[in-house]
Amino acid sequence: DLQGFIVLRGVLTPEEVASANAAIDAQTSEFVERASSIRNTSGDSSFAHQAAASNDYRGRLENGTFLFWPQEQSQVFRKMLSHPKVTPALNTLLGAGHR
């Protein structure tokens, strides 16, 4: 939570992970590269230096519209917001009744 995310292991079933991956794969063309200062690695990391040396230094790919994709692709992400194993963590971080 200090880095902007938390890891909740064992929350999603293999089927849920496959569904989320399939939805992302279907929307790949909608992702945009953010080539500004926000990248997949910090600029001073050894990985970043290796990527820069290999001409493979890309910006972070992002898409903030997961919940607005067609229902068959967005539903898996919508369910994550109210997943019984995720809700306690969200309540702790955001308070009960978060929106």
Side-chain angles (χ1 to χ4, degrees), residues 57-77:
Y57 194 55
R58 299 185 336 158
R60 182 173 86 185
L61 295 177
E62 59 183 41
N63 181 310
T65 63
F66 291 88
L67 301 179
F68 301 102
W69 291 351
Q71 183 175 2
E72 65 274 6
Q73 295 162 352
S74 66
Q75 192 63 27
V76 64
F77 300 106

Side-chain angles (χ1 to χ4, degrees), residues 7-88:
V7 176
L8 302 174
R9 298 191 190 285
V11 169
L12 301 177
T13 65
E15 293 79 17
E16 289 169 319
V17 172
S19 180
N21 285 336
I24 290 169
D25 289 345
Q27 292 291 326
T28 299
S29 65
E30 300 301 318
F31 281 71
V32 294
E33 180 180 356
R34 187 167 185 172
S36 66
S37 61
I38 298 178
R39 297 188 174 272
N40 289 331
T41 63
S42 65
D44 60 350
S45 73
S46 63
F47 180 76
H49 292 296
Q50 290 171 0
S54 69
N55 294 319
D56 189 30
Y57 194 55
R58 299 185 336 158
R60 182 173 86 185
L61 295 177
E62 59 183 41
N63 181 310
T65 63
F66 291 88
L67 301 179
F68 301 102
W69 291 351
Q71 183 175 2
E72 65 274 6
Q73 295 162 352
S74 66
Q75 192 63 27
V76 64
F77 300 106
R78 290 176 176 274
K79 286 182 178 179
M80 285 182 199
L81 293 174
S82 60
H83 195 291
K85 293 182 180 178
V86 173
T87 302

